[in-house]
Structures are given as C-alpha cells and as structure tokens.
Amino acid sequence: MSGDNNLKVLNALDVAKTQWYHFTAIIVAGMGFFTDAYDLFCISLVTKMLGRIYYHVDGSPKPGSLPPNVAAAVNGVALVGTLAGQLFFGWLGDKLGRKKVYGVTLMLMCVCSIASGLSFGHEPKTVMATLCFFRFWLGFGIGGDYPLSATIMSEYANKKTRGAFIAAVFAMQGFGILAGGIFGMILSSAFEAKFKAPAYEVDPIGSTAPQADYVWRIILMAGALPAMMTFYSRSKMPETARYTALVAKNAKQAAADMSKVLNMDIEAEQQKVEQIEKKKGSYGLFSKEFLRRHGWHLLGTSLTWLLLDIAFYSQNLFQKDIFTAIGWIPPAKTMNAIQEVFTIARAQTLIALCSTVPGYWFTVALIDVIGRFAIQLIGFFFMTVFMFALAFPYDHWIKPDNRIGFVVMYSLTFFFANFGPNATTFVVPAEIFPARLRSTCHGISAAAGKLGAIIGAFGFLYLAQNKDPKKADAGYPAGIGVKNALIVLGALNLLGLLFTFLVPESKGKSLEEMSGENEDINEETSGN
C-alpha cells in the first residue's frame, strides 16, 4: 500500500535520509544492550571464584565449587527476572509511552548492578541470597530494555534501513560480552600482579588470596558504568512520533517533536488522527480482531524465539569441555582463584571475537538486502546441519585428534545463530504489530525467548548428563548424554525453521503497512 495516505509526520520518518539522530538513537538504545549483555554474561566469569571463596572443602583434591542448586540460582535468577521484566515493561511501554518507562529500566539496572557487587554477609548463604535477590531485579530492568529499545528504534528509523538499525542495537550485545571478557582479563591481571598466590594443588587455602573477594564484586559493579553514561541522553530523547500520534492521539506534539529531530516543518494532522480513531476503534490484545490479523504472527515470533534460545543458551553444555580440550582452560587445581578468572575471561573474549561479534554484524550488513525471513531461514538451517553434524559422529569428535574440528563446527553453529535467528527474532516483533500493542507483543515474544533460555541453560544441563549415574557430574542425576542432547537440539532448530513460515517479511515496508494501520488510514481518506 502507498504511504501517501499515511500521516505526514510518519511519512517524513519513513523517507528520512540516514542522519545523525539515527546514530544517536542506536548508541543510546545500544548502550542499554551493551549493559544487558555485560550484566547477564559476566556472572559466568565469577561463578568458579565464588565456589572457591565460599564453598572450599578442606582436604579436597579439587577447588570448591557452587553446589548445583546454588549454581542454578546464581546463573538463572537474572533470566527469570528478565522474563518478568519483558512482560511488565512491554505492557507499560504501550500504556505510559516508551520514553517514560525507558529511564526507569536504566536506573534499575544501575542500582542493581552496584547492589549485586555489594552482596553482604560472610556466610555463603547470606552472600548468595543477597546476590540472587539483586540479580533478579537487575534482570527485571534488563527485561524492560528488550521491548523498549526495539520499539523506540523501529519507530525512529526510516523504512529503507530500519532492519539494520534495530539489528545494530541488538549487536551491541556482542560488544558487551567482549567488554566483560576484556575487563575481567585486565582486572584479574592487575590483582594477580599485586597479590601473588600459589596454585590450588600447592596450597589449597593460600591459592585464594583474601583480595579475590574484591575481584568478583568489581566485575559485577562495573556493569553500572555504561548505563550511567547514557542515562542523560535517554532522558532527553523525545517520545516517538508513532506513540504520540497513533496511541496518545496528539498529532500536534508528534509533528513538533519530529520537526526538531528532522530539522524540517511538518504539518500536524490532528483531525486525521481523530477521524481514524472514530472509524476503526481500537482492538485489544485479547480481541478476535487481533487474533484474526496478528494471532499467527505473535505465535510465530514467540515460538521461533523460544526455540532459538533453547539452542543458544545450551552452549554452556559444551563450553567448559571445549575450552579444556583445546587447552584454553587448564585443570582448576593448577591455577589460583584469580588466574582462573583470567583464563575464563580470555576464553569468553576469544569466542566473542571469533563467532559472536562477526555474526551480529553480518546481520546488520545484510538484513535490508536479503530480508529478515531469508536470514532467519538460513540461520536455522545451518544451525540444524551443524548440530546434527556434531551429534551423530559425536564419538569421533571427542577423540583428542579431532577436537579442533569440533571447535570449528561449534563456532559455526553460533555464527549462524547470530547471523540468523538470534538477531531477526529481536527485529521482527518490533515491526509487524500495531503501535498501541507493539511494545507488549515484543515483550511477549522476548519472554518466550527467555523461557527457552531457562530450558536451554538448565533443562539441558540435567538432560545432557551421562547415562551412567556414576559418571554424571556431582549432584546431578543421570541424563541422556551429550550426543542425544545434541540430536534433540538439532530437531528443535528444524522446528524453528518451520515456524519461521508464520512470520511475514517486513523489509522495505512502513510499520503502518505491516501492522495494518495503513488500511485503516486509507479506508478513512478514501471514505471522505
């Protein structure tokens, strides 16, 4: 449909040339994602250290480690908080406006990052309980950033490069993971130089220097810095024109805001907004009209994100084995506590550089060229292929001579997750739903993804345990083994490929055209 009958203020945004305010929006929204990724992934740097400090067992040949239930709580509580935050702030972003809620999520992230580093008490139980409490609320703030950042960027962007702009916001996650790894390396190197300690096998107690307790706290607290840096910029961003005109029904304010942003005069069409509203009424999320127009779309965006995140977060299954196998992480007893943080941070940085960051930016470069649908299909297809290629000859891959091949296949799987559904599942829900439900629907899709993340990170941790109970990790029951777990993951990726067909292509189309709001506008103008 033609955009000529669209409101002039929205048309102006759709055809605007790429300019400075687009990049400002990417940086302001992107720094939220940078912080999100840093905060969610930095916990993996410090869990081993927490085990050494708070769960040391005298006389044990191995350093202390978090019991399975504590490890699950520390790693998983932020994911649960994120799921809740996505639903709550997604809904709130449509009720109160994107801008009003945007600052709240950032403040929550800042305060809880600092508070989680200040987790108090000397007893393991009190430290872990306070850490989990603050990481839940940190996750709650992070959850809000998903629907709000995506919606704000999609509503500010022009239709020609909208996909690249939303994907660029999401791609800042890669830099957040990278920054977490690099900061972990710098900090642990500085502490190691200043507070030298023997390896665990030489002196079990002395291997954990008392100052190690500061390392994990500083790593967690540093997550507040990038969020603080963008707080002022977020507070100065005007509300998006699409929310102001189509949801708040204030065409005059929308035109005034965007006139400043675009440096041009835009006519306010208050009468047109009111006429559209009279003509179409506004159907809600649980109405038959929403189900008819967007029911399949919401099912598609939610299921593809759920299936992707099961596979994406299950990568924790093999990371420790892979890193140990190729010598990136030597046995824990040969290192002291601070050296262990350094080696884990180095491994995370290398994975981010080789696999994570390039995948994201391939998507940014190509999403408006070949489209979201094609990238998602390609991604799910190759994830399926590589998961099966790892699974069926699994016994071949675990032989020492073939380990490098295993690492290459593993890296390619996650390259195609990032140049594929990991990015597109974030982009598409911000483009295909009506303005008044856009943030809510994105929040629902993202929350389905986080449910997948929880299944992937914890369900598969139990599922992938050795079939022989004696060979399973301490504290875990017997599972189906890594080989069978990989086959299940491959099948889930194949399902993701099939559910992609429920999601429409939005490349080069205006948001109103995708959501059907243009139909209402065109009906109104042709009826006059």
Side-chain angles (χ1 to χ4, degrees):
M1 271 189 205
S2 160
D4 297 344
N5 290 326
N6 208 346
L7 291 168
K8 285 180 182 157
V9 63
L10 306 186
N11 228 16
L13 282 166
D14 277 343
V15 299
K17 286 194 171 74
T18 300
Q19 50 196 284
W20 183 244
Y21 85 88
H22 287 122
F23 293 110
T24 309
I26 289 172
I27 291 162
V28 171
M31 283 316 277
F33 263 86
F34 180 96
T35 308
D36 298 349
Y38 180 96
D39 286 331
L40 283 179
F41 287 90
C42 71
I43 196 72
S44 62
L45 296 181
V46 300
T47 43
K48 292 269 197 266
M49 178 175 268
L50 290 171
R52 285 184 184 239
I53 296 170
Y54 295 106
Y55 291 90
H56 173 74
V57 179
D58 284 328
S60 169
K62 285 180 176 176
S65 62
L66 298 179
N69 59 337
V70 177
V74 168
N75 286 303
V77 73
L79 295 176
V80 176
T82 304
L83 189 156
Q86 285 162 336
L87 292 171
F88 177 72
F89 285 115
W91 168 78
L92 209 60
D94 283 333
K95 283 280 167 253
L96 302 180
R98 297 34 164 150
K99 184 193 168 177
K100 278 183 186 164
V101 186
Y102 210 27
V104 178
T105 61
L106 206 63
M107 275 314 295
L108 199 54
M109 282 153 63
C110 288
V111 170
C112 293
S113 282
I114 293 166
S116 58
L118 297 173
S119 298
F120 39 83
H122 292 290
E123 290 299 308
K125 268 188 182 166
T126 51
V127 175
M128 295 304 145
T130 49
L131 177 61
C132 287
F133 175 80
F134 288 121
R135 280 193 65 79
F136 173 84
W137 290 107
L138 171 67
F140 195 68
I142 287 172
D145 227 48
Y146 274 72
L148 293 168
S149 289
T151 302
I152 285 172
M153 198 64 242
S154 77
E155 293 182 345
Y156 262 111
N158 60 44
K159 60 185 179 185
K160 192 177 168 193
T161 54
R162 187 179 60 235
F165 289 160
I166 308 171
V169 168
F170 192 64
M172 292 297 279
Q173 270 198 336
F175 289 130
I177 298 167
L178 204 55
I182 291 168
F183 182 68
M185 285 162 69
I186 293 167
L187 189 72
S188 52
S189 299
F191 269 76
E192 173 64 18
K194 185 89 174 131
F195 309 106
K196 294 207 180 303
Y200 182 86
E201 58 190 357
V202 176
D203 179 357
I205 304 247
S207 69
T208 306
Q211 294 81 3
D213 198 49
Y214 293 115
V215 174
W216 72 267
R217 293 175 186 275
I218 294 168
I219 287 173
L220 295 186
M221 289 163 80
L225 283 174
M228 284 175 183
M229 284 157 58
T230 51
F231 186 74
Y232 177 77
S233 306
R234 277 198 185 191
S235 65
K236 289 291 165 202
M237 277 177 94
E239 182 55 88
T240 72
R242 287 181 159 92
Y243 184 85
T244 309
L246 297 174
V247 185
K249 309 287 181 282
N250 189 343
K252 193 176 173 187
Q253 185 63 51
D257 286 345
M258 291 309 110
S259 293
K260 276 186 211 159
V261 167
L262 294 167
N263 293 322
M264 63 189 283
D265 289 328
I266 300 172
E267 183 191 338
E269 300 169 288
Q270 189 62 36
Q271 198 183 356
K272 197 169 180 180
V273 167
E274 285 162 10
Q275 284 172 339
I276 294 161
E277 184 53 26
K278 254 187 259 169
K279 178 93 174 176
K280 71 183 174 75
S282 50
Y283 56 86
L285 182 65
F286 299 107
S287 64
K288 281 185 180 168
E289 185 63 11
F290 178 84
L291 203 63
R292 182 182 73 79
R293 291 188 184 210
H294 298 293
W296 287 113
H297 297 164
L298 187 57
L299 185 70
T301 56
S302 300
L303 283 176
T304 50
W305 207 335
L306 174 101
L307 292 162
L308 160 85
D309 270 6
I310 293 176
F312 194 76
Y313 280 80
S314 69
Q315 61 184 299
N316 306 346
L317 291 181
F318 334 105
Q319 267 191 356
K320 65 177 193 298
D321 301 330
I322 286 174
F323 293 158
T324 307
I326 58 177
W328 283 0
I329 299 182
K333 64 182 181 181
T334 63
M335 299 179 279
N336 65 40
I338 294 171
Q339 284 169 340
E340 191 169 33
V341 170
F342 178 86
T343 51
I344 295 168
R346 182 182 61 188
Q348 185 169 303
T349 307
L350 287 166
I351 281 285
L353 271 175
C354 301
S355 171
T356 313
V357 174
Y360 283 130
W361 291 98
F362 261 79
T363 304
V364 173
L366 293 173
I367 192 164
D368 288 312
V369 180
I370 62 175
R372 293 80 167 134
F373 184 75
I375 287 178
Q376 193 159 308
L377 276 186
I378 291 165
F380 269 130
F381 174 76
F382 281 108
M383 284 174 76
T384 308
V385 168
F386 288 123
M387 282 285 187
F388 283 147
L390 285 172
F392 291 112
Y394 183 69
D395 297 330
H396 164 82
W397 292 118
I398 54 174
K399 290 175 185 158
D401 294 347
N402 305 325
R403 291 268 169 84
I404 296 297
F406 187 91
V407 174
V408 171
M409 301 282 273
Y410 169 85
S411 297
L412 282 168
T413 308
F414 291 100
F415 170 82
F416 279 106
N418 293 316
F419 174 51
N422 196 29
T424 53
T425 51
F426 176 80
V427 173
V428 174
E431 300 182 305
I432 62 175
F433 299 107
R436 66 184 172 281
L437 298 170
R438 187 169 289 135
S439 178
T440 306
C441 291
H442 195 286
I444 291 168
S445 306
K450 274 296 163 282
L451 180 62
I454 293 163
I455 296 167
F458 302 106
F460 274 83
L461 198 57
Y462 284 85
L463 202 63
Q465 292 298 326
N466 201 296
K467 293 180 199 172
D468 181 349
K470 291 173 190 162
K471 290 184 182 170
D473 291 345
Y476 290 95
I480 60 171
V482 174
K483 177 177 179 168
N484 291 333
L486 281 166
I487 293 170
V488 172
L489 287 170
L492 292 175
N493 289 331
L494 190 58
L495 274 178
L497 186 147
L498 297 175
F499 282 118
T500 297
F501 287 94
L502 293 176
V503 182
E505 177 59 79
S506 47
K507 175 170 83 85
K509 294 177 182 173
S510 78
L511 295 178
E512 289 67 44
E513 199 176 332
M514 285 311 301
S515 64
E517 286 160 302
N518 242 6
E519 291 169 29
D520 303 308
I521 293 169
N522 286 334
E523 273 172 35
E524 179 52 49
T525 49
S526 59
N528 281 346

